[in-house]
Amino acid sequence: MNCIICGFPSGNEKLCFKHAIASKSLAEGYSAWKSALGITLGEYLNYILKNKETGEWVVDVAKYIIESGDHSLLNL
């Protein structure tokens, strides 16, 4: 199986190693932000995309979630 974002081999998983780590980071960040600020997932993802400090792999995952609507990548 290949990563649904970049096409890199991913074994039996939807995401390759680097995008899986980015997805986990996004999920953990959203949990903290949601608790502190009460923002929606869409608001959080859009903020992440606008932030110049956001890493490339996290941007890839955030864009994929926004474009596909597949929130399952975050295991929320």
Side-chain angles (χ1 to χ4, degrees), residues 4-5 42 45-46 49 59-71 73:
I4 58 176
I5 296 175
L45 293 174
N46 283 314
L49 291 177
V59 168
D60 291 346
V61 176
K63 281 182 181 178
Y64 179 84
I65 293 169
I66 289 170
E67 292 169 3
S68 70
D70 185 1
H71 300 163
L73 296 180

Side-chain angles (χ1 to χ4, degrees), residues 45-65:
L45 293 174
N46 283 314
Y47 173 80
I48 291 299
L49 291 177
K50 291 177 186 174
N51 185 338
K52 294 180 183 188
E53 299 297 317
T54 303
E56 179 182 347
W57 300 339
V58 172
V59 168
D60 291 346
V61 176
K63 281 182 181 178
Y64 179 84
I65 293 169

Side-chain angles (χ1 to χ4, degrees), residues 32-47:
W33 281 55
K34 183 178 177 184
S35 295
L37 303 174
I39 65 173
T40 66
L41 178 59
E43 291 169 329
Y44 174 70
L45 293 174
N46 283 314
Y47 173 80

